[in-house]
Amino acid sequence: MESVKTVFYRPSSQRQASVLIIDKSRMPRIELLGGTKTVGRDYPTADSDIRLDSSIVSRHHGEFFYNESDRNFYYIDKNSTNGTYINGKKLEPFDANGSAPYRLNDGDIIRIDKRTLNNPYPESVLMIYSRTFSPNDKWIPYNLSGKNSITIGRDEQSALRLKDIMASRQHAVLSNFGGTWMVYDQNSRNGVSVNGVEINGNAQVFDHDIIKIANTTMILWGSTLFYNTVSDNSPGGSLSVHIVKKKIGKKILLKDIDFEAQKGDFVLILGGSGAGKTTLVNAILGESKADGKIILNGLDLYANFKKMKSQIGIVPQFLNLWLNDTVRNTLLDKARLKLGKDYSTADINKHVDDVLNKVGIKAHENKLISQLSGGQKKKASVASQLIGFQQVFICDEPDSGLDAASRIQQMEILKDISEDGKIVMVITHEPDDAFSLFTKVVVIAKSSVDNAGHLAFYGDVPGALDFFGVNRLQEIMIEINPPYEGGKGRADHYIEKYNNMVRRR
């Protein structure tokens, strides 16, 4: 009988993104991006999609556009009078149409100014490209006039109190010395960054600079500090993987791996034996750095590894928990270690209860780990990572050794975790058990040309089935695996096909 492909809803490939804007109006606002949106000065007959209240903005200053082939947003400066700066660097003219397209990453800072960035023009414009800002976000002004110093943190005594579970109780201090602002990290757990760069102890903050504390974004604008409110249960953001190559000695293991996931994504990683799945995971974890960048919520993981390493967790294939301890005590120990003194006993107990309920093992909290079934042990392993507020979870065969029903249940739990605002990435040999749960698929294939793992596909599940011309995810492995592993040996074909698709404009 002729096989029939399963038909189900295919979401739009276009990713949600936005820019936060502050111009002469001095109030932050959010503009959603989609397709192509032109940027220009606001005046009575203006025809730009995004209109900026500033005399130094050209009538047709720039444009944002979405590239379907590589699923990224870009910005072009249209040879404007005063130009556009991105992350402190001015875009240079490329041709008569404007600058070369600049691919945007979460947290990129876009400035329009006619003076130095540390001494902004009164009508300068600030824009922040974001994967996490929402039009419903509240941006709160904090008046700094007459203040020499303010404390920032979760503590009720902080002058600026953050309702952000990842912020420390006493996280930072912002002080003014004769008109010069300085920010001091108070040995916080998750650090402080200024303009996307993690500070080492303290740093000077200039007008229009961006301070990031955990999930809270702060903007110094004259005598006002704007900051956004964040939800405690949605601390995720975006993960951008840009690997040029990964070598051990002279041998290249991975090459040209480029993809991005957002909070809520449940990502399947597919690849044959020796294709580089484990190498990719270690590069994302930062345990074995690659040539390239891993950008988490706008910050470079490699450059800020000490503070950021705890934000990406791995659930290993094999159990690594102490067998002669109870489930609850195991999580309490993990919580005390990962959260430290910054969280009270009541905070920790509540968080442990939340995690136990989330993964479905609250009823077994007083059992020894050794007394749990195989499926319950897998859940305990997931819980031990979830306890630390990680934003990215990488799960290496979390369903191995389980029966079909338990495999599906395990994947549903991981899907729920992703929907809580995390990014969950899974390696599994039974992908079709949960094919309808995955939002994205990463396929790594080993090239016969250089014996390195290359990206052979990145997109949604329906797109993967269409791209490889198969009915099931498992059949992708047959397409790319070599004949000696029971495959058709077409890895090079699909690597080239995907590269051509990405290059196509």
Coordinates of all heavy atoms in Angstrom, one line a residue, residues 250-338:
K250 N 44.8 18.5 14.4 CA 44.6 19.0 13.0 C 43.3 18.5 12.4 O 42.9 18.8 11.3 CB 45.8 18.5 12.2 CG 47.1 19.2 12.5 CD 48.2 18.7 11.6 CE 49.6 19.4 11.9 NZ 50.6 19.0 11.0
K251 N 42.6 17.6 13.2 CA 41.4 17.0 12.7 C 40.2 18.0 12.9 O 39.9 18.4 14.1 CB 41.1 15.7 13.3 CG 39.9 14.9 12.7 CD 39.8 13.6 13.4 CE 38.6 12.8 12.8 NZ 38.4 11.5 13.4
I252 N 39.4 18.3 11.9 CA 38.2 19.1 12.0 C 37.0 18.2 12.2 O 36.8 17.3 11.4 CB 38.0 19.9 10.7 CG1 39.1 20.9 10.5 CG2 36.7 20.7 10.8 CD1 39.0 21.7 9.2
L253 N 36.4 18.4 13.4 CA 35.2 17.5 13.7 C 33.9 18.1 13.3 O 33.0 17.4 12.9 CB 35.2 17.3 15.3 CG 36.5 16.7 15.9 CD1 36.3 16.5 17.4 CD2 36.8 15.3 15.2
L254 N 33.8 19.5 13.4 CA 32.6 20.2 13.0 C 32.9 21.4 12.1 O 34.0 22.0 12.4 CB 31.8 20.7 14.2 CG 30.9 19.7 15.0 CD1 30.3 20.5 16.2 CD2 29.9 19.0 14.2
K255 N 32.1 21.7 11.2 CA 32.3 22.9 10.4 C 31.0 23.5 9.9 O 30.1 22.8 9.6 CB 33.1 22.4 9.2 CG 33.7 23.6 8.3 CD 34.6 23.0 7.2 CE 35.2 24.2 6.4 NZ 36.0 23.6 5.3
D256 N 31.0 24.9 10.0 CA 29.9 25.7 9.4 C 28.5 25.3 10.0 O 27.6 24.9 9.3 CB 29.8 25.5 7.9 CG 31.1 26.0 7.2 OD1 31.7 26.9 7.8 OD2 31.4 25.5 6.2
I257 N 28.5 25.3 11.4 CA 27.2 25.0 12.1 C 26.6 26.4 12.5 O 27.2 27.1 13.3 CB 27.4 24.1 13.3 CG1 28.2 22.9 12.9 CG2 26.1 23.8 13.9 CD1 27.5 22.0 12.0
D258 N 25.4 26.7 12.0 CA 24.8 28.0 12.3 C 23.3 27.9 12.4 O 22.6 27.6 11.4 CB 25.2 28.9 11.1 CG 25.0 30.4 11.4 OD1 24.2 30.7 12.3 OD2 25.8 31.2 10.8
F259 N 22.8 28.1 13.6 CA 21.4 28.0 13.8 C 21.0 28.8 15.1 O 21.9 29.1 15.9 CB 20.8 26.6 13.9 CG 21.3 25.8 15.1 CD1 20.6 25.8 16.3 CD2 22.5 25.0 14.9 CE1 21.1 25.0 17.3 CE2 22.9 24.2 16.0 CZ 22.2 24.2 17.2
E260 N 19.8 29.1 15.3 CA 19.3 29.8 16.5 C 18.0 29.2 17.0 O 17.1 28.8 16.2 CB 19.1 31.3 16.2 CG 18.7 32.1 17.3 CD 18.7 33.6 17.0 OE1 19.7 34.1 16.5 OE2 17.6 34.3 17.2
A261 N 17.9 29.1 18.3 CA 16.7 28.6 19.0 C 16.2 29.7 20.0 O 17.0 30.5 20.5 CB 16.9 27.3 19.7
Q262 N 14.9 29.7 20.2 CA 14.3 30.7 21.1 C 13.6 30.0 22.3 O 13.3 28.8 22.2 CB 13.3 31.6 20.4 CG 13.9 32.5 19.4 CD 14.2 31.8 18.1 OE1 13.4 31.1 17.5 NE2 15.4 32.0 17.5
K263 N 13.3 30.8 23.3 CA 12.6 30.2 24.5 C 11.3 29.6 24.0 O 10.6 30.1 23.1 CB 12.4 31.2 25.5 CG 11.4 32.3 25.2 CD 11.1 33.2 26.4 CE 10.1 34.3 26.1 NZ 9.8 35.1 27.3
G264 N 11.0 28.4 24.5 CA 9.8 27.7 24.0 C 10.1 26.6 23.0 O 9.3 25.8 22.7
D265 N 11.3 26.7 22.4 CA 11.7 25.7 21.4 C 12.1 24.4 22.0 O 12.8 24.3 23.0 CB 12.9 26.2 20.5 CG 12.4 27.0 19.3 OD1 11.3 26.8 18.9 OD2 13.2 27.8 18.8
F266 N 11.6 23.3 21.4 CA 11.9 21.9 21.7 C 12.6 21.4 20.5 O 12.0 21.1 19.5 CB 10.6 21.2 22.1 CG 10.9 19.8 22.7 CD1 11.9 19.5 23.5 CD2 10.0 18.8 22.4 CE1 12.1 18.3 24.0 CE2 10.1 17.5 23.0 CZ 11.2 17.3 23.8
V267 N 14.0 21.3 20.6 CA 14.8 21.0 19.4 C 15.3 19.6 19.4 O 15.9 19.1 20.4 CB 16.0 22.0 19.4 CG1 16.9 21.8 18.2 CG2 15.5 23.5 19.5
L268 N 15.1 18.9 18.3 CA 15.6 17.6 18.1 C 17.0 17.7 17.4 O 17.1 18.4 16.4 CB 14.7 16.8 17.2 CG 15.2 15.4 16.7 CD1 15.4 14.5 17.9 CD2 14.2 14.8 15.7
I269 N 18.0 17.0 17.9 CA 19.3 16.9 17.3 C 19.5 15.5 16.7 O 19.5 14.5 17.4 CB 20.5 17.2 18.2 CG1 20.3 18.6 18.9 CG2 21.8 17.1 17.6 CD1 21.4 18.9 19.9
L270 N 19.6 15.5 15.3 CA 19.7 14.2 14.6 C 21.1 14.1 14.0 O 21.6 15.2 13.5 CB 18.7 14.1 13.5 CG 17.2 13.7 13.9 CD1 16.4 13.6 12.7 CD2 17.2 12.3 14.7
G271 N 21.7 13.0 14.0 CA 23.0 12.8 13.3 C 23.5 11.4 13.5 O 23.2 10.7 14.6
G272 N 24.1 10.8 12.5 CA 24.6 9.5 12.6 C 25.8 9.3 13.6 O 26.3 10.3 14.1
S273 N 26.2 8.1 13.8 CA 27.4 7.9 14.7 C 28.6 8.5 14.1 O 28.9 8.4 12.9 CB 27.6 6.4 14.8 OG 28.8 6.1 15.6
G274 N 29.3 9.3 14.9 CA 30.5 10.0 14.4 C 30.3 11.3 13.6 O 31.2 11.9 13.1
A275 N 29.0 11.7 13.5 CA 28.7 12.9 12.8 C 29.0 14.2 13.6 O 29.2 15.2 13.0 CB 27.2 12.9 12.4
G276 N 29.1 14.1 14.9 CA 29.5 15.2 15.7 C 28.4 15.7 16.7 O 28.5 16.9 17.1
K277 N 27.4 14.9 17.0 CA 26.4 15.4 17.9 C 27.0 15.7 19.3 O 26.7 16.8 19.9 CB 25.3 14.3 18.1 CG 24.6 13.9 16.8 CD 23.4 13.0 17.1 CE 23.7 11.7 17.8 NZ 24.5 10.9 16.9
T278 N 27.8 14.8 19.8 CA 28.4 15.0 21.1 C 29.4 16.2 21.1 O 29.4 17.0 22.0 CB 29.2 13.8 21.6 OG1 28.3 12.7 21.7 CG2 29.8 14.0 23.0
T279 N 30.1 16.4 20.0 CA 31.0 17.5 19.8 C 30.2 18.8 19.8 O 30.6 19.8 20.5 CB 31.8 17.4 18.5 OG1 32.5 16.1 18.5 CG2 32.8 18.5 18.4
L280 N 29.1 18.8 19.1 CA 28.2 20.0 19.1 C 27.7 20.3 20.5 O 27.7 21.5 20.9 CB 27.0 19.7 18.2 CG 25.9 20.8 18.2 CD1 26.5 22.1 17.7 CD2 24.8 20.4 17.3
V281 N 27.3 19.3 21.2 CA 26.8 19.5 22.6 C 27.8 20.1 23.5 O 27.6 21.1 24.2 CB 26.2 18.2 23.2 CG1 26.0 18.3 24.7 CG2 24.9 17.8 22.5
N282 N 29.1 19.6 23.4 CA 30.1 20.1 24.3 C 30.5 21.5 23.9 O 30.9 22.3 24.7 CB 31.4 19.1 24.1 CG 31.1 17.8 24.8 OD1 30.3 17.7 25.8 ND2 31.9 16.8 24.4
A283 N 30.4 21.8 22.6 CA 30.7 23.2 22.2 C 29.6 24.2 22.7 O 29.9 25.3 23.1 CB 30.7 23.3 20.7
I284 N 28.4 23.7 22.7 CA 27.3 24.6 23.2 C 27.4 24.8 24.7 O 27.2 25.9 25.3 CB 25.9 24.0 22.8 CG1 25.7 24.1 21.3 CG2 24.8 24.8 23.5 CD1 24.5 23.4 20.8
L285 N 27.8 23.7 25.4 CA 28.0 23.8 26.9 C 29.2 24.6 27.2 O 29.3 25.1 28.3 CB 28.2 22.4 27.4 CG 27.0 21.4 27.5 CD1 27.5 20.0 27.8 CD2 26.0 21.9 28.5
G286 N 30.1 24.8 26.3 CA 31.3 25.6 26.6 C 32.4 24.8 27.2 O 33.5 25.3 27.5
E287 N 32.2 23.4 27.3 CA 33.2 22.6 27.9 C 34.3 22.3 27.0 O 35.5 22.1 27.4 CB 32.5 21.2 28.3 CG 31.5 21.3 29.4 CD 30.9 20.0 29.8 OE1 31.2 19.0 29.1 OE2 30.2 19.9 30.8
S288 N 34.1 22.4 25.7 CA 35.1 22.2 24.7 C 34.8 23.3 23.6 O 34.0 23.1 22.7 CB 35.1 20.8 24.1 OG 36.1 20.7 23.1
K289 N 35.5 24.4 23.7 CA 35.1 25.6 22.9 C 35.5 25.4 21.4 O 36.5 24.8 21.1 CB 35.8 26.8 23.4 CG 35.4 27.3 24.8 CD 36.1 28.5 25.2 CE 35.6 29.1 26.6 NZ 35.9 28.1 27.7
A290 N 34.6 25.9 20.6 CA 34.8 25.8 19.1 C 35.3 27.2 18.6 O 35.2 28.2 19.3 CB 33.6 25.4 18.4
D291 N 35.8 27.2 17.4 CA 36.1 28.5 16.8 C 34.7 29.1 16.3 O 34.1 28.6 15.4 CB 37.0 28.3 15.5 CG 38.4 27.8 15.9 OD1 38.8 28.1 17.1 OD2 39.1 27.2 15.1
G292 N 34.3 30.1 17.0 CA 33.0 30.7 16.7 C 32.4 31.3 18.0 O 33.1 31.6 18.9
K293 N 31.1 31.4 18.0 CA 30.4 32.0 19.2 C 29.2 31.2 19.5 O 28.5 30.7 18.6 CB 30.0 33.5 18.9 CG 31.2 34.4 18.7 CD 30.7 35.9 18.5 CE 31.9 36.8 18.5 NZ 31.4 38.2 18.3
I294 N 28.9 31.2 20.8 CA 27.6 30.7 21.3 C 27.0 31.9 22.1 O 27.6 32.3 23.1 CB 27.8 29.5 22.3 CG1 28.7 28.4 21.7 CG2 26.5 29.0 22.8 CD1 28.0 27.8 20.5
I295 N 26.0 32.4 21.5 CA 25.4 33.6 22.1 C 24.1 33.3 22.8 O 23.1 32.7 22.2 CB 25.0 34.7 21.0 CG1 26.2 34.9 20.1 CG2 24.4 35.9 21.6 CD1 27.4 35.6 20.8
L296 N 24.1 33.5 24.1 CA 22.9 33.2 24.9 C 22.3 34.5 25.5 O 23.0 35.3 26.2 CB 23.2 32.3 26.1 CG 22.1 32.0 27.1 CD1 21.0 31.3 26.4 CD2 22.7 31.1 28.2
N297 N 21.1 34.9 25.0 CA 20.4 36.1 25.5 C 21.3 37.3 25.2 O 21.4 38.2 26.0 CB 20.0 36.0 26.9 CG 19.0 35.0 27.2 OD1 18.3 34.6 26.3 ND2 19.0 34.5 28.4
G298 N 22.0 37.3 24.0 CA 22.7 38.5 23.6 C 24.2 38.5 24.2 O 24.9 39.4 23.8
L299 N 24.5 37.6 25.0 CA 25.9 37.5 25.6 C 26.7 36.4 25.1 O 26.1 35.3 24.9 CB 25.8 37.5 27.1 CG 25.2 38.7 27.8 CD1 25.2 38.4 29.4 CD2 26.0 40.0 27.5
D300 N 28.0 36.6 24.8 CA 28.9 35.5 24.3 C 29.2 34.6 25.5 O 29.9 35.0 26.4 CB 30.1 36.2 23.8 CG 31.0 35.2 23.0 OD1 31.0 34.0 23.4 OD2 31.8 35.6 22.1
L301 N 28.8 33.3 25.4 CA 29.0 32.3 26.4 C 30.5 32.1 26.6 O 31.0 32.1 27.8 CB 28.4 31.0 26.0 CG 28.7 29.8 27.0 CD1 28.1 30.0 28.3 CD2 28.3 28.5 26.3
Y302 N 31.3 32.1 25.6 CA 32.7 31.8 25.7 C 33.4 33.0 26.4 O 34.3 32.8 27.2 CB 33.4 31.6 24.3 CG 32.9 30.3 23.7 CD1 33.2 30.1 22.3 CD2 32.3 29.3 24.3 CE1 32.8 28.9 21.7 CE2 31.9 28.1 23.7 CZ 32.2 27.9 22.4 OH 31.8 26.8 21.8
A303 N 33.0 34.2 26.1 CA 33.7 35.4 26.7 C 33.2 35.6 28.1 O 34.0 36.3 28.9 CB 33.3 36.6 25.8
N304 N 32.1 35.0 28.5 CA 31.5 35.2 29.8 C 31.3 33.9 30.5 O 30.3 33.7 31.3 CB 30.2 36.0 29.8 CG 30.4 37.3 29.0 OD1 31.1 38.3 29.5 ND2 29.8 37.5 27.9
F305 N 32.2 32.9 30.3 CA 31.9 31.5 30.7 C 31.7 31.4 32.2 O 30.9 30.6 32.6 CB 33.0 30.6 30.1 CG 32.8 29.2 30.4 CD1 31.8 28.5 29.7 CD2 33.5 28.5 31.3 CE1 31.5 27.2 29.9 CE2 33.3 27.1 31.5 CZ 32.3 26.5 30.8
K306 N 32.6 32.0 33.0 CA 32.5 31.8 34.4 C 31.1 32.1 35.0 O 30.6 31.3 35.8 CB 33.5 32.7 35.1 CG 33.6 32.4 36.6 CD 34.7 33.3 37.2 CE 34.8 33.1 38.7 NZ 35.9 33.9 39.4
K307 N 30.5 33.2 34.5 CA 29.2 33.5 35.1 C 28.1 32.8 34.3 O 27.0 32.5 34.9 CB 29.0 35.0 34.9 CG 29.8 35.9 35.9 CD 29.2 35.8 37.3 CE 29.9 36.8 38.2 NZ 29.4 36.6 39.6
M308 N 28.3 32.5 33.1 CA 27.1 32.0 32.3 C 27.0 30.5 32.2 O 26.0 29.9 31.7 CB 27.2 32.6 30.9 CG 27.0 34.1 30.8 SD 27.0 34.7 29.1 CE 25.6 33.9 28.5
K309 N 28.1 29.8 32.6 CA 28.1 28.3 32.4 C 27.0 27.6 33.1 O 26.5 26.6 32.6 CB 29.4 27.7 32.8 CG 29.8 27.9 34.3 CD 31.1 27.2 34.6 CE 31.4 27.4 36.1 NZ 32.8 26.8 36.4
S310 N 26.5 28.2 34.2 CA 25.4 27.5 35.0 C 24.1 27.7 34.3 O 23.1 27.1 34.7 CB 25.4 28.1 36.4 OG 25.0 29.5 36.3
Q311 N 24.0 28.5 33.2 CA 22.7 28.7 32.6 C 22.4 27.7 31.5 O 21.3 27.7 30.9 CB 22.7 30.1 32.0 CG 22.8 31.2 33.0 CD 22.7 32.6 32.5 OE1 22.0 32.8 31.5 NE2 23.3 33.6 33.1
I312 N 23.4 26.8 31.2 CA 23.1 25.7 30.2 C 23.4 24.4 31.0 O 24.5 24.2 31.5 CB 24.0 25.8 29.0 CG1 23.8 27.2 28.3 CG2 23.8 24.7 28.0 CD1 24.6 27.4 27.0
G313 N 22.4 23.5 31.0 CA 22.6 22.3 31.8 C 22.4 21.1 30.8 O 21.8 21.2 29.8
I314 N 23.0 20.0 31.2 CA 22.9 18.7 30.4 C 22.3 17.7 31.3 O 22.7 17.5 32.5 CB 24.2 18.3 29.8 CG1 24.0 17.1 28.9 CG2 25.3 18.1 30.9 CD1 25.2 16.8 28.0
V315 N 21.4 16.9 30.8 CA 20.8 15.7 31.4 C 21.5 14.6 30.7 O 21.2 14.2 29.6 CB 19.3 15.6 31.3 CG1 18.8 14.4 32.0 CG2 18.6 16.9 31.9
P316 N 22.5 13.9 31.4 CA 23.3 12.9 30.7 C 22.5 11.6 30.4 O 21.4 11.4 31.0 CB 24.4 12.6 31.7 CG 23.8 12.9 33.1 CD 22.9 14.1 32.8
Q317 N 23.0 10.8 29.6 CA 22.3 9.6 29.2 C 22.3 8.6 30.4 O 21.3 7.9 30.6 CB 23.1 8.9 28.0 CG 22.5 7.6 27.6 CD 23.2 7.0 26.4 OE1 24.2 7.6 25.9 NE2 22.8 5.8 25.9
F318 N 23.3 8.6 31.2 CA 23.4 7.6 32.3 C 23.3 8.4 33.6 O 23.8 9.5 33.7 CB 24.7 6.8 32.2 CG 24.9 6.1 31.0 CD1 25.8 6.5 30.0 CD2 24.1 4.9 30.7 CE1 26.0 5.8 28.8 CE2 24.3 4.2 29.5 CZ 25.2 4.7 28.6
L319 N 22.5 7.8 34.5 CA 22.3 8.5 35.8 C 23.5 8.8 36.6 O 24.4 8.0 36.7 CB 21.4 7.5 36.6 CG 20.8 8.1 37.9 CD1 19.7 9.1 37.6 CD2 20.2 7.0 38.8
N320 N 23.6 10.0 37.1 CA 24.8 10.4 37.9 C 24.4 10.9 39.2 O 25.1 11.8 39.8 CB 25.7 11.4 37.1 CG 24.9 12.7 36.8 OD1 23.7 12.8 37.0 ND2 25.6 13.7 36.3
L321 N 23.3 10.4 39.8 CA 22.8 10.8 41.1 C 23.3 9.8 42.2 O 23.5 8.6 41.9 CB 21.3 11.0 41.1 CG 20.8 12.0 40.0 CD1 19.2 12.0 40.1 CD2 21.3 13.4 40.2
W322 N 23.3 10.3 43.4 CA 23.7 9.4 44.5 C 22.5 8.5 44.8 O 21.4 8.9 45.2 CB 24.0 10.3 45.7 CG 24.5 9.6 46.9 CD1 23.9 9.4 48.1 CD2 25.8 8.9 47.1 NE1 24.6 8.6 49.0 CE2 25.8 8.3 48.3 CE3 26.9 8.8 46.2 CZ2 26.9 7.6 48.8 CZ3 28.0 8.1 46.7 CH2 28.0 7.5 48.0
L323 N 22.7 7.2 44.7 CA 21.6 6.2 44.7 C 21.1 6.1 46.1 O 19.9 5.7 46.3 CB 22.1 4.8 44.2 CG 22.5 4.8 42.7 CD1 23.0 3.4 42.4 CD2 21.4 5.2 41.9
N324 N 21.9 6.3 47.2 CA 21.4 6.1 48.5 C 20.9 7.3 49.2 O 21.0 7.4 50.5 CB 22.6 5.5 49.4 CG 23.0 4.1 48.9 OD1 22.1 3.3 48.5 ND2 24.3 3.8 48.8
D325 N 20.4 8.2 48.5 CA 19.8 9.4 49.0 C 18.4 9.5 48.5 O 18.1 9.0 47.4 CB 20.6 10.7 48.6 CG 20.4 11.8 49.7 OD1 19.5 11.7 50.5 OD2 21.1 12.8 49.5
T326 N 17.5 10.2 49.2 CA 16.1 10.4 48.7 C 16.0 11.4 47.6 O 17.0 12.2 47.4 CB 15.2 10.8 49.9 OG1 15.5 12.1 50.3 CG2 15.2 9.9 51.0
V327 N 15.0 11.3 46.9 CA 14.8 12.3 45.8 C 14.8 13.7 46.3 O 15.5 14.6 45.8 CB 13.4 12.0 45.0 CG1 13.1 13.0 44.0 CG2 13.5 10.6 44.4
R328 N 14.0 13.9 47.4 CA 13.9 15.3 47.9 C 15.3 15.8 48.4 O 15.7 16.9 48.1 CB 12.9 15.4 49.0 CG 12.7 16.8 49.5 CD 11.6 17.0 50.5 NE 11.3 18.4 50.6 CZ 10.6 19.2 49.9 NH1 9.9 18.7 48.9 NH2 10.4 20.5 50.1
N329 N 16.0 15.0 49.2 CA 17.3 15.4 49.7 C 18.3 15.7 48.5 O 19.1 16.6 48.6 CB 17.8 14.4 50.6 CG 17.1 14.4 52.0 OD1 16.5 15.4 52.3 ND2 17.2 13.4 52.8
T330 N 18.2 14.9 47.5 CA 19.0 15.1 46.3 C 18.8 16.4 45.7 O 19.7 17.2 45.4 CB 18.8 14.0 45.3 OG1 19.1 12.7 45.8 CG2 19.6 14.3 44.0
L331 N 17.5 16.8 45.6 CA 17.2 18.1 45.0 C 17.5 19.3 45.9 O 18.0 20.3 45.5 CB 15.7 18.2 44.6 CG 15.3 17.2 43.5 CD1 13.9 17.6 43.0 CD2 16.2 17.2 42.3
L332 N 17.3 19.0 47.2 CA 17.7 20.1 48.2 C 19.2 20.3 48.2 O 19.6 21.5 48.2 CB 17.3 19.6 49.6 CG 15.8 19.7 49.9 CD1 15.5 19.1 51.3 CD2 15.3 21.2 49.9
D333 N 20.0 19.3 48.1 CA 21.5 19.4 48.0 C 21.8 20.2 46.8 O 22.7 21.1 46.8 CB 22.1 18.1 48.1 CG 22.1 17.4 49.4 OD1 21.8 18.1 50.4 OD2 22.3 16.2 49.5
K334 N 21.2 19.8 45.6 CA 21.5 20.5 44.4 C 21.1 22.0 44.5 O 21.9 22.8 44.0 CB 20.7 19.8 43.2 CG 21.2 18.4 42.9 CD 22.4 18.4 42.0 CE 22.7 17.0 41.5 NZ 23.9 17.0 40.6
A335 N 20.0 22.2 45.1 CA 19.5 23.6 45.2 C 20.4 24.5 46.0 O 20.8 25.6 45.7 CB 18.1 23.6 45.7
R336 N 20.9 23.9 47.2 CA 21.8 24.7 48.0 C 23.1 25.0 47.3 O 23.7 26.0 47.5 CB 22.0 23.9 49.3 CG 20.8 23.7 50.2 CD 21.1 23.1 51.5 NE 20.0 22.8 52.3 CZ 19.5 21.5 52.4 NH1 20.1 20.5 51.8 NH2 18.4 21.3 53.1
L337 N 23.6 24.0 46.5 CA 24.8 24.2 45.8 C 24.7 25.2 44.7 O 25.5 26.1 44.5 CB 25.3 22.8 45.2 CG 26.6 22.8 44.4 CD1 27.8 23.2 45.3 CD2 26.8 21.4 43.8
K338 N 23.6 25.1 43.9 CA 23.4 25.9 42.8 C 22.9 27.3 43.1 O 23.3 28.3 42.4 CB 22.5 25.3 41.8 CG 23.1 24.0 41.1 CD 22.1 23.4 40.1 CE 22.7 22.2 39.4 NZ 21.9 21.6 38.4

